[in-house]
Amino acid sequence: MEKKDCVYILECNDGTLYTGWTNDIDKRFKAHDDGKGAKYTKGRRPLKLVYLEELETKSEALKRENEIKKMPAENASVSIVFLPFLITATKITAIS
C-alpha cells in the first residue's frame, strides 16, 4: 500500500479535537488508540477519526496542519460537525 502524506483530526472522548500529520494513517491511529501517539490523546480515549486530507508532499501536510491548528477552535469544531465525508485527493468516502 502506498503511503500518503496527510493531515488528520481526531475527536477525543471529551469532545476536544487533536490535529496531526502522518504518512501512514492506519499506523498512526493505532498508536493514538493504544495510548502511544501523543500525550494529549493518551488520556482522552476512545478516539474517532473525523477528518483526513491527503496532500502531495510532507511539506504541504505540515503547512496544512499548521493552518488548521491556527483556526479558532469554535470554527474548527463547526467545520468538523458539518463535514459528513472523509475527503482525500482522489475520492470522497463517507465517514461511518
Side-chain angles (χ1 to χ4, degrees):
M1 178 177 199
E2 182 182 349
K3 293 186 179 182
K4 298 276 188 172
D5 293 301
C6 60
V7 173
Y8 62 93
I9 300 177
L10 303 177
E11 181 179 7
C12 301
N13 71 348
D14 61 1
T16 59
L17 300 174
Y18 174 85
T19 304
W21 85 274
T22 186
N23 63 2
D24 187 339
I25 190 61
D26 295 328
K27 183 178 177 181
R28 187 67 176 148
F29 184 79
K30 183 173 178 0
H32 281 295
D33 206 37
D34 291 343
K36 300 174 184 173
K39 287 182 186 178
Y40 186 83
T41 58
K42 187 174 184 175
R44 292 177 166 87
R45 296 175 289 157
L47 306 167
K48 180 178 176 183
L49 179 66
V50 294
Y51 182 75
L52 180 66
E53 180 180 353
E54 291 181 357
L55 295 125
E56 293 296 319
T57 66
K58 176 181 176 180
S59 177
E60 289 177 8
L62 291 170
K63 286 177 188 175
R64 182 66 175 134
E65 176 190 17
N66 195 38
E67 288 173 1
I68 292 170
K69 287 182 174 182
K70 287 182 178 181
M71 291 174 64
E74 61 275 5
N75 291 352
S77 296
V78 170
S79 297
I80 297 303
V81 168
F82 291 106
L83 180 65
F85 297 99
L86 184 65
I87 300 172
T88 66
T90 57
K91 63 183 176 180
I92 298 176
T93 308
I95 295 176
S96 53

